[in-house]
């Protein structure tokens, strides 16, 4: 009879393999923003990496989308959306398959970041971030979500 730890390691390897097989092309997120120019910027970043992106203008649209097509990462554009970011975090964290939630914000400081994490958000990054920084942040959240699913 094989020890239990071998079975556990087998499952871990299988999970790691699934993540590796998905690779960069497996990244798919939802962006909540009513700024269509921001959508275009994000599409350029995602298309250049072969990633999937869906954009919606409101929290209500996001919730409707996530109920039928869950995604591992949601980005909320705090500047160009009508809802308060706290409402967004609250609504998204109550989903059965809760995504990693990132906030794109014009103002960032450690206190703001700490509050987001305390309210079960994953991270915050500058709305003016370049494509590489956005990609690193999305990639980190995507892998974290898949490792902790």
């Amino acid at each position: 009879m094989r020890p239990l730890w071998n079975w556990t390691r087998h499952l871990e390897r299988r999970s790691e393999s699934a993540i590796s097989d998905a690779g960069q092309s497996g990244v798919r997120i939802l962006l909540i923003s009513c700024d269509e120019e921001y959508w275009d910027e994000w599409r350029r970043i995602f298309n250049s990496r072969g990633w999937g992106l869906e954009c919606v203008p409101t929290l209500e649209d996001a919730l409707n989308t996530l109920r039928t097509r869950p995604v591992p990462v949601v980005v909320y554009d705090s500047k160009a959306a009508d809802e308060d970011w706290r409402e967004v975090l609250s609504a998204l964290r109550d989903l059965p398959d809760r995504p990693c939630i990132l906030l794109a914000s014009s103002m960032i400081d450690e206190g703001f970041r700490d509050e987001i994490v305390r309210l079960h958000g994953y991270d915050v990054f500058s709305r003016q971030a370049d494509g590489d920084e956005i990609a690193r942040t999305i990639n980190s959240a995507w892998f974290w979500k898949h490792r902790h699913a």
Side-chain angles (χ1 to χ4, degrees), residues 13-109:
R13 282 189 190 131
R14 203 168 148 205
S15 173
E16 290 167 5
S17 174
I19 291 170
S20 298
D21 291 345
Q24 299 294 355
S25 63
V27 174
R28 191 174 138 264
I29 73 150
L30 179 67
L31 171 65
I32 306 170
S33 175
C34 57
D35 181 348
E36 291 188 22
E37 288 179 18
Y38 202 50
W39 291 8
D40 293 341
E41 184 179 328
W42 277 67
R43 282 190 180 108
R44 280 191 299 279
I45 293 165
F46 272 57
N47 288 343
S48 70
R49 289 168 172 79
W51 294 356
L53 174 68
E54 187 162 349
C55 302
V56 296
T58 67
L59 174 58
E60 182 179 341
D61 291 330
L63 292 171
N64 289 334
T65 298
L66 292 167
R67 286 185 189 109
T68 58
R69 293 182 312 279
V71 297
V73 179
V74 172
V75 175
Y76 177 70
D77 177 10
S78 63
K79 180 180 178 192
D82 294 332
E83 297 86 8
D84 178 71
W85 64 268
R86 288 173 191 87
E87 293 173 30
V88 173
L89 286 176
S90 177
L92 295 177
R93 76 173 176 236
D94 290 339
L95 291 169
D97 188 13
R98 182 175 76 204
C100 279
I101 306 162
L102 300 167
L103 270 72
S105 178
S106 298
M107 182 191 81
I108 301 173
D109 63 33

